[in-house]
Amino acid sequence: MSEATSRQPRNALEGDPHQAHIRWSQLADQIEEARRAYYERDDPTLSDAEYDRLFSELESLEREHPELAGPSSPTATVGGAPKGSFAPVAHQRPMLSLDDVFSLEELHAWVRRVQEDTGRERVPMTAEVKVDGLAISLLYVDGRLERAATRGDGRVGEDVTANARTISAIPERLTGRGHPRRIEVRGEVFFPTARFQEFNAARVASGERAFVNARNAAAGSLRQKDPSITASRPLSMVAHGVGLVEAGDGPAPFAEPATQHQWYRLLGEWGLPVSPYTTLVETSSEMDRRIEELGDRRSALVHEIDGVVFKVDDLALQASLGATSRAPRWAAAFKFPPQEVNTRLLDIRVQVGRTGRVTPYGVMEKVLVSGSHVQRATLHNAQEVARKGVRIGDLVVLRKAGDVIPEIVAPVESARDGSERPFAMPATCPSCGAELAPEKDGDVDLRCPNTAHCPAQLTERVSHIGSRGALDIEGLGDEAALALTQPEADRDAVAAALVEGHGVTLEDGTRLRLEGAEELPHAQQLAAAEALLPAPQPPVLTSEGALFDLRSEDLRDVMVWRPVTVDGETTDDWAQVRYFWTKAWRRSTRRSGPAWIHVDPEPAKNLLLMLEERERAKSQPLWRVLVALSIRHVGPTAARALAAHLPSMEAIRAADADSLAQVDGVGGVIAQSVHEWFRVDWHREIVAQWAAAGVRMEDEAAEEVSDVLTGLTIVVSGAMPGYDREGAKAAIVARGGKAAGSVSKRTTLVVAGPGAGSKAAKAEALGVPVIDETRFQDLLDGGLPALGIEAPS
């Protein structure tokens, strides 16, 4: 089943019982089918986020039209029916679901209802991780495991006793004393996340279908007809409650706990695995903090979680609050923003990095995951694409954990219609057309050998030239470098927007829309959209050597693609705009005549700033020019050392590797890299072009400075009068000191100026001397003695 669903506006149904009933039937059918796929086939066709959205819409519809609600509604039932492969087990007490909340406001509203219903201002609660696994019921009789069952529809589950016995975390016999005669322990069987990737890789290698996620790997593993297969998989389990409890008579009488957390302590004493992440909270602010803590740690836990469950701790209060037909009123589950969603993979393309490495990535229909909209996701390399088994046109599972780059996890194979096609790694570079090849035998990655003129590699180098550590050219950042070298970089995102039904406006006002996209096979939609766009424009800069020769007029017609925003909010539409010059077309205010009229564009402020800064950069010291050349291993420290010892580009170029290696602070690896760089023709051509354009290639004779900071490690933080950040470091290095970036026990001194941040506080905590910026020049002139500070022994 496709994730795409009807999205009829809610207000269109208000007051129209007939339309409301039609929509209710659509939602109920989709939810029930999704449940069957999830619970019975272990092959989900909807992401959790989409399922939650549909379920929430159904609840809203039933609140507006109560006549639609009933005992057969998905809002009144739980889970899915047993598969039929296992014997049915009737639960003596229903295994209910949980009511979900999706915001702190909803959670706080639930807490207020609990306080009102119990008449208590403070209601202690357990805060527990919501394990994303398969619910299980374990019945122990006289301390021995008698039966294990899945939740099923909440009233009837499946007998999986033989398989459960193979899970080492589930004890065959309870330890300790004081067990009740019969007790039903409820918990979650899960597949450890650390083992999931390697397990899936082995399945694909043996020709089996990959599991979509760890939850389905757990469900599929526990529901094996052959228990030996279950035993071969690294399943585990965590207990999160009890159902039936019959005390009975025995030598050590059973004393039932009074609270939820006491139950967990008792279950742990009996040898059952309980969560180490459970805590007690009493206030809404404590709940908020716990949600934030667990959210930050989410990707580091031993199992998948999709939220935090809060339960009233007092069992007597639980009983007084009761339950609905599907969920207890004394518990609620706060759901995290989804880390996994489903979306359509429109194409698989490749991108080229600064070193020439070629990496496949997916272009997808835009989707919200972990709080941000995603349209591209990495696929690492061709072998990874094959391992995951994804095809162009697939409905795929997309995952994003925290700040991690979005990744395509697996295809939803049951959603295929036969139009999908496999990905083939290109033989040539998509950026420049050069033939791709491994850098050396045995390499998995392919690389573009056209280092000199490949636009993708050039973009990174041009951006580096403008960076603060190199020539520090304001206005020449990542976006400007992209406009100069790859103006069509967002072309695939623009085409994807057309596929999704959004509009694209060209610079002359022409409005583009893709008609009939839904009638095309998914694997062909992106190509159809791209055919509507103007021909790709060539870049104006094909070598960094020409950077200082560019004139304002050369950049007049550079166009880029930009998302359209209204009042600061993105609209998902795109527009073609000039990057360096003002608009050449504007909307007419006349009622008669053309809607758009041509006007003379002018250089934009960002272009004028960049050109002014570029002129200033020509006089930067030699070490900055060396850094700007992107010589491997040559950063500011090595560049300063080289320029101090050999104060001209010609001298550095003429020196052999052995001579360069003798420079203090350079060494053999850097020396060899510098020597080899100058042996490349196009490298020397860059230097020649820059020199002809007036870039400084030789430092003036510097006045001698003392070595008063020899052997000292100095940290400079914040603004220093008369120095920028790199200049302050250079002044320290020139006097024999080490300019460190962080404070440690080995730091000799910290100089703290305005905006110093936490480094001064850390220094004081470590007992490291701290001076302010007004004494920095005293330090440079006379070292520690000028400050009255004793040199370290």
Side-chain angles (χ1 to χ4, degrees):
M1 178 173 59
S2 169
E3 190 193 28
T5 60
S6 172
R7 289 175 168 80
Q8 189 163 3
R10 177 178 161 184
N11 58 11
L13 303 177
E14 291 177 351
D16 188 339
H18 177 66
Q19 289 298 322
H21 186 271
I22 292 175
R23 182 58 180 155
W24 184 92
S25 299
Q26 292 174 338
L27 290 168
D29 289 346
Q30 286 180 289
I31 290 169
E32 291 297 348
E33 170 56 27
R35 284 178 170 179
R36 285 191 289 272
Y38 187 88
Y39 290 108
E40 300 172 29
R41 301 195 295 269
D42 302 321
D43 187 18
T45 54
L46 288 184
S47 66
D48 287 351
E50 181 66 5
Y51 178 88
D52 289 340
R53 190 190 68 77
L54 295 177
F55 197 88
S56 179
E57 185 182 349
L58 187 66
E59 288 180 315
S60 296
L61 197 58
E62 291 182 353
R63 282 195 296 269
E64 294 165 11
H65 300 271
E67 70 276 7
L68 297 175
S72 62
S73 171
T75 62
T77 58
V78 177
K83 292 170 67 173
S85 304
F86 299 88
V89 173
H91 300 300
Q92 295 190 25
R93 291 189 179 179
M95 292 184 71
L96 301 178
S97 185
L98 290 170
D99 284 332
D100 295 330
V101 296
F102 299 93
S103 69
L104 296 179
E105 290 75 17
E106 288 183 84
L107 179 64
H108 297 166
W110 172 77
V111 172
R112 288 193 295 271
R113 288 196 297 272
V114 169
Q115 291 169 333
E116 292 169 2
D117 291 345
T118 59
R120 299 192 181 189
E121 186 175 343
R122 296 174 76 89
V123 182
M125 298 186 186
T126 59
E128 311 173 21
V129 292
K130 188 173 184 296
V131 182
D132 197 7
L134 181 71
I136 194 169
S137 164
L138 305 173
L139 179 64
Y140 286 87
V141 178
D142 294 328
R144 289 184 178 276
L145 178 64
E146 181 173 283
R147 189 187 66 222
T150 63
R151 182 170 67 175
D153 63 4
R155 288 166 175 75
V156 178
E158 301 161 328
D159 190 329
V160 290
T161 308
N163 292 348
R165 293 185 192 279
T166 70
I167 300 173
S168 60
I170 298 177
E172 181 68 29
R173 184 178 180 84
L174 300 180
T175 59
R177 296 165 53 82
H179 314 133
R181 190 178 72 83
R182 287 161 59 87
I183 181 171
E184 179 196 7
V185 178
R186 293 173 174 178
E188 209 83 8
V189 173
F190 64 88
F191 202 108
T193 52
R195 304 290 300 277
F196 179 61
Q197 292 292 345
E198 60 185 65
F199 173 75
N200 249 356
R203 282 180 65 84
V204 173
S206 62
E208 296 178 276
R209 188 174 67 181
F211 282 111
V212 170
N213 52 41
R215 186 268 169 203
N216 292 96
S221 299
L222 187 62
R223 285 168 158 161
Q224 293 292 323
K225 292 182 179 180
D226 182 355
S228 66
I229 297 177
T230 306
S232 69
R233 298 178 180 176
L235 296 179
S236 192
M237 177 261 184
V238 62
H240 56 54
V242 296
L244 171 74
V245 179
E246 292 180 357
D249 299 321
F254 167 66
E256 185 166 354
T259 64
Q260 189 79 22
H261 82 271
Q262 287 174 359
W263 257 123
Y264 293 146
R265 187 181 303 134
L266 190 57
L267 292 177
E269 291 173 0
W270 291 343
L272 287 155
V274 292
S275 176
Y277 308 120
T278 299
T279 59
L280 274 176
V281 295
E282 287 195 10
T283 66
S284 293
S285 60
E286 289 177 354
M287 299 169 83
D288 296 353
R289 282 197 297 273
R290 190 56 181 158
I291 288 170
E292 183 177 5
E293 291 168 357
L294 290 170
D296 290 342
R297 298 175 58 193
R298 185 177 178 183
S299 60
L301 304 186
V302 297
H303 44 55
E304 299 279 0
I305 67 170
D306 59 0
V308 183
V309 176
F310 295 97
K311 300 175 183 175
V312 172
D313 191 41
D314 189 307
L315 299 184
L317 288 182
Q318 287 187 10
S320 70
L321 289 167
T324 66
S325 61
R326 66 176 298 274
R329 293 190 176 93
W330 44 263
F334 177 90
K335 295 291 288 289
F336 286 133
Q339 287 186 304
E340 286 188 355
V341 296
N342 291 357
T343 189
R344 185 68 61 182
L345 179 62
L346 300 173
D347 202 357
I348 298 176
R349 300 190 171 182
V350 297
Q351 60 189 2
V352 186
R354 182 176 58 86
T355 63
R357 178 173 176 250
V358 179
T359 306
Y361 67 94
V363 182
M364 303 160 299
E365 291 183 352
K366 185 183 290 186
V367 65
L368 182 67
V369 55
S370 289
S372 60
H373 285 95
V374 174
Q375 197 165 38
R376 298 180 183 177
T378 181
L379 281 162
H380 301 296
N381 52 52
Q383 287 80 356
E384 186 76 354
V385 177
R387 183 186 73 77
K388 292 180 175 180
V390 293
R391 299 176 185 173
I392 297 167
D394 266 333
L395 187 70
V396 295
V397 178
L398 181 72
R399 179 177 178 82
K400 184 184 178 189
D403 293 328
V404 177
I405 297 172
E407 180 179 14
I408 293 171
V409 178
V412 181
E413 295 187 32
S414 58
R416 285 177 173 166
D417 61 11
S419 67
E420 300 79 13
R421 56 186 169 87
F423 166 71
M425 192 71 175
T428 58
C429 174
S431 187
C432 68
E435 187 173 343
L436 303 177
E439 188 172 39
K440 58 181 181 295
D441 290 343
D443 277 1
V444 172
D445 296 323
L446 295 178
R447 293 182 184 273
C448 171
N450 183 23
T451 311
H453 301 296
C454 177
Q457 299 180 63
L458 177 61
T459 300
E460 298 288 338
R461 298 201 301 270
V462 171
S463 177
H464 171 70
I465 291 168
S467 67
R468 288 188 176 183
L471 292 182
D472 193 16
I473 303 174
E474 191 172 349
L476 184 60
D478 293 343
E479 287 190 8
L482 205 61
L484 290 170
T485 59
Q486 296 186 87
E488 298 286 346
D490 287 314
R491 191 179 181 88
D492 54 10
V494 176
L498 285 170
V499 170
E500 296 166 27
H502 304 297
V504 174
T505 304
L506 303 185
E507 206 241 351
D508 64 0
T510 302
R511 182 77 169 169
L512 303 180
R513 283 196 180 274
L514 179 63
E515 303 296 339
E518 65 280 357
E519 299 173 6
L520 295 172
H522 295 298
Q524 297 177 19
Q525 291 174 339
L526 202 65
E530 285 198 318
L532 290 177
L533 300 177
Q537 60 176 313
V540 296
L541 190 65
T542 57
S543 166
E544 61 263 56
L547 178 65
F548 289 91
D549 298 321
L550 287 175
R551 301 167 302 160
S552 174
E553 191 65 27
D554 297 330
L555 309 180
R556 183 180 188 273
D557 296 323
V558 173
M559 304 285 186
V560 297
W561 301 103
R562 278 189 176 159
V564 175
T565 60
V566 175
D567 296 329
E569 297 292 328
T570 58
T571 63
D572 292 325
D573 289 346
W574 286 78
Q576 183 190 45
V577 300
R578 293 174 188 266
Y579 185 86
F580 295 105
W581 282 58
T582 60
K583 297 177 180 178
W585 291 83
R586 65 176 173 81
R587 190 181 296 273
S588 174
T589 57
R590 295 183 178 181
R591 294 184 178 180
S592 60
W596 291 77
I597 59 174
H598 187 270
V599 295
D600 290 332
E602 297 177 349
K605 290 181 179 179
N606 66 332
L607 172 59
L608 297 177
L609 173 64
M610 186 184 79
L611 295 178
E612 181 182 334
E613 287 284 300
R614 187 189 64 173
E615 284 304 304
R616 182 190 59 81
K618 291 180 180 180
S619 60
Q620 290 278 29
L622 179 62
W623 73 265
R624 286 187 175 273
V625 180
L626 286 170
V627 172
L629 291 173
S630 290
I631 304 172
R632 192 177 183 187
H633 303 307
V634 178
T637 302
R640 287 193 195 97
L642 284 167
H645 189 76
L646 299 166
S648 74
M649 191 70 73
E650 183 56 37
I652 296 171
R653 172 183 171 179
D656 58 28
D658 290 338
S659 299
L660 294 171
Q662 300 305 310
V663 176
D664 188 28
V666 175
V669 172
I670 296 176
Q672 190 63 37
S673 179
V674 172
H675 181 65
E676 290 179 357
W677 191 90
F678 277 103
R679 295 174 66 184
V680 177
D681 290 344
W682 67 271
H683 289 167
R684 294 196 300 271
E685 180 62 25
I686 292 171
V687 175
Q689 287 181 276
W690 284 11
V695 177
R696 180 175 174 175
M697 292 291 158
E698 184 173 355
D699 281 346
E700 298 174 1
E703 65 179 75
E704 292 292 326
V705 294
S706 64
D707 57 355
V708 292
L709 301 184
T710 298
L712 306 183
T713 300
I714 311 295
V715 173
V716 174
S717 182
M720 296 294 116
Y723 296 89
D724 62 12
R725 183 177 178 182
E726 294 300 330
K729 290 183 177 181
I732 293 169
V733 173
R735 290 158 176 79
K738 178 182 178 182
S742 59
V743 180
S744 70
K745 292 181 179 179
R746 293 186 293 274
T747 303
T748 308
L749 180 71
V750 171
V751 188
S758 62
K759 291 181 180 177
K762 183 175 181 181
E764 291 173 356
L766 294 173
V768 175
V770 179
I771 64 171
D772 64 31
E773 76 282 4
T774 63
R775 308 201 66 191
F776 182 53
Q777 193 61 50
D778 294 336
L779 172 70
L780 298 178
D781 293 340
L784 295 183
L787 305 174
I789 298 175
E790 187 175 343
S793 56

